[in-house]
Amino acid sequence: MVLHFLVKGRVQGVGFRWFVHREASELDLHGWVRNTEDGDVEVVAAGDPESLTELRASLQKGPRGSRVDKVIEHPLVESEAAGLNAFKIEGAW
């Protein structure tokens, strides 16, 4: 199963990408997380439905210092998972 999430709120500058990376890695998900130019955080994650449900709950909560106003979710086709490896942060330097 592959899902795309867009997390809106105060989610940049509060360690949100690192939080997502840790949560997704612990759940053995593949994919990536990155900031968007609009101030949101974008996530693509692939794995079993139970792990994705746990990730969704973590995204809705966020790390300390963040404020999640909305999580928009879209399923992606299974073929999207083909290019995904161990979970990573994109755009981090």
Side-chain angles (χ1 to χ4, degrees):
M1 181 173 209
V2 187
L3 295 176
H4 174 266
F5 298 97
L6 189 63
V7 186
K8 296 183 165 287
R10 189 163 67 104
V11 294
Q12 288 191 11
V14 293
F16 206 97
R17 290 177 301 162
W18 297 100
F19 169 80
V20 173
H21 180 266
R22 185 187 73 231
E23 297 290 316
S25 295
E26 288 177 5
L27 293 167
D28 200 29
L29 295 171
H30 292 126
W32 50 262
V33 58
R34 67 181 173 204
N35 287 340
T36 70
E37 292 181 10
D38 296 333
D40 303 324
V41 170
E42 183 178 21
V43 181
V44 170
D48 64 77
E50 295 80 19
S51 296
L52 289 166
T53 296
E54 288 187 48
L55 179 65
R56 180 185 305 111
S58 294
L59 294 176
Q60 291 169 338
K61 183 178 71 168
R64 175 186 286 178
S66 70
R67 186 194 74 245
V68 177
D69 295 334
K70 183 190 281 189
V71 177
I72 301 168
E73 177 182 332
H74 299 285
L76 299 176
V77 294
E78 287 293 322
S79 62
E80 293 282 341
L84 301 176
N85 296 310
F87 208 88
K88 66 180 179 178
I89 298 172
E90 290 194 343
W93 31 152

